[in-house]
Structures are given as structure tokens and as C-alpha cells.
């Protein structure tokens, strides 16, 4: 049994439909999860979530390409990646992902380049409602 605390324990309890007071999870339970949203601090538990196919990375603290490389090394079955409001991510390197099919970016205002965007089959981009940074999406598409 693996003890997990904090907000990740709450998320796992909801996903596994368990009692909220239970902070112990079996490896089988954790390996059954295929879709989850994680923060940077929760990436430490990736080794237990090896079968995740859809990953959402929450805002703050911001992830780096080193974090994404770690994700790609552990989550080899990852097909869908959603990245939300990562202010320290300037260049996104997708070349480390082998099975990634879908990328969704939500309000990543400082992102200036995406390496390997042509590897994904579906690319979704959400900007602010006033379309102030429409050049950002145009640059991504022209560069890739």
C-alpha cells in the first residue's frame, strides 16, 4: 500500500470512488488510473501512475521541459496532454513524447515556440477572450 497525502489523495479518492479519509492506495488501484490532473509537486507520484493516457498539468508552480521529459519517460502510454497557465514555460519540447496524439494549451502567455508540434494529430489552443495574443498561435503554426 502507498500512502498519498494532500490534494492528490483527494483527487485519487474521487477517481477511485473511495472514502475521503482513506489515504492508502494499492499499486493496482493507482495503475488503473488513465486520466488525471496534476500539479508540479504531484509529479513525484508519477511512478505509481504509469498507465495514465490523459494528463492535465495545472498552473503554479510552473513546469519545465525537464519535468516534461520526466513525464515522457514514465508515462510512455500518454496520448493527450493539457498544459494550463505555465508562466515559466517559454519553449515546449514535444519531441520527448513517443505516443502523444493530442496537445491542448490554455493561457500559456510566455510560450514562444513548440518543438515537435507536427507530431500531434490534434492541437487545441485557448487564448484570452480578447484575442490579444493571436500572434502567438500564428507563430506556433508557421514555425511548425
Amino acid at each position: 500500500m502507498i500512502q498519498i497525502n494532500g490534494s492528490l489523495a483527494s483527487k485519487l479518492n474521487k477517481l477511485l470512488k473511495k472514502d475521503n479519509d482513506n489515504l492508502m492506495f494499492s499499486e493496482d488501484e493507482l495503475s488503473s488510473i488513465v486520466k488525471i490532473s496534476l500539479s508540479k509537486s504531484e509529479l513525484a507520484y508519477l511512478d505509481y501512475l504509469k498507465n495514465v493516457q490523459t494528463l492535465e498539468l495545472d498552473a503554479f508552480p510552473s513546469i519545465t521541459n525537464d519535468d516534461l521529459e520526466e513525464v515522457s519517460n514514465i508515462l510512455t502510454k500518454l496520448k493527450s496532454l493539457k498544459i494550463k497557465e505555465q508562466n515559466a514555460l517559454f519553449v515546449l519540447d514535444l519531441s520527448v513524447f513517443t505516443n502523444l496524439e493530442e496537445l491542448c494549451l490554455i493561457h500559456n502567455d510566455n510560450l514562444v515556440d513548440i518543438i515537435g508540434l507536427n507530431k500531434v494529430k490534434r492541437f487545441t489552443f485557448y487564448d484570452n477572450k480578447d484575442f490579444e495574443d493571436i500572434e502567438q498561435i500564428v507563430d506556433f503554426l508557421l514555425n511548425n
Side-chain angles (χ1 to χ4, degrees):
M1 295 295 277
I2 300 150
Q3 183 172 0
I4 298 177
N5 297 315
S7 63
L8 182 56
S10 296
K11 290 177 193 177
L12 294 174
N13 276 323
K14 286 179 188 173
L15 287 171
L16 298 170
K17 298 177 179 150
K18 293 180 71 168
D19 182 2
N20 286 337
D21 294 334
N22 188 353
L23 302 177
M24 300 295 286
F25 301 91
S26 72
E27 287 190 35
D28 286 341
E29 286 175 321
L30 295 176
S31 68
S32 71
I33 296 171
V34 295
K35 181 178 181 178
I36 195 165
S37 175
L38 299 174
S39 66
K40 181 173 179 152
S41 61
E42 296 166 341
L43 292 178
Y45 294 99
L46 279 180
D47 285 328
Y48 303 113
L49 304 168
K50 291 182 179 179
N51 290 317
V52 168
Q53 295 178 17
T54 301
L55 176 65
E56 179 178 314
L57 295 172
D58 294 333
F60 192 79
S62 190
I63 58 160
T64 65
N65 278 313
D66 290 339
D67 297 323
L68 291 174
E69 187 170 355
E70 180 183 349
V71 167
S72 73
N73 289 334
I74 296 170
L75 302 182
T76 57
K77 299 175 184 177
L78 189 67
K79 292 184 179 181
S80 178
L81 178 63
K82 182 185 286 187
I83 302 174
K84 294 171 57 177
E85 300 179 38
Q86 302 294 329
N87 292 328
L89 192 61
F90 299 101
V91 176
L92 173 59
D93 187 359
L94 300 177
S95 66
V96 295
F97 294 97
T98 55
N99 295 312
L100 192 66
E101 296 177 359
E102 182 176 0
L103 173 67
C104 178
L105 299 176
I106 301 173
H107 304 297
N108 293 276
D109 295 333
N110 295 330
L111 190 61
V112 294
D113 196 13
I114 303 172
I115 300 167
L117 182 60
N118 59 339
K119 292 177 62 174
V120 299
K121 295 178 182 176
R122 181 179 175 145
F123 174 49
T124 309
F125 178 84
Y126 293 96
D127 197 9
N128 60 46
K129 64 181 178 181
D130 297 326
F131 300 103
E132 292 173 8
D133 299 320
I134 196 69
E135 284 183 35
Q136 186 181 27
I137 185 67
V138 171
D139 290 342
F140 292 158
L141 296 175
L142 290 176
N143 290 332
N144 290 279

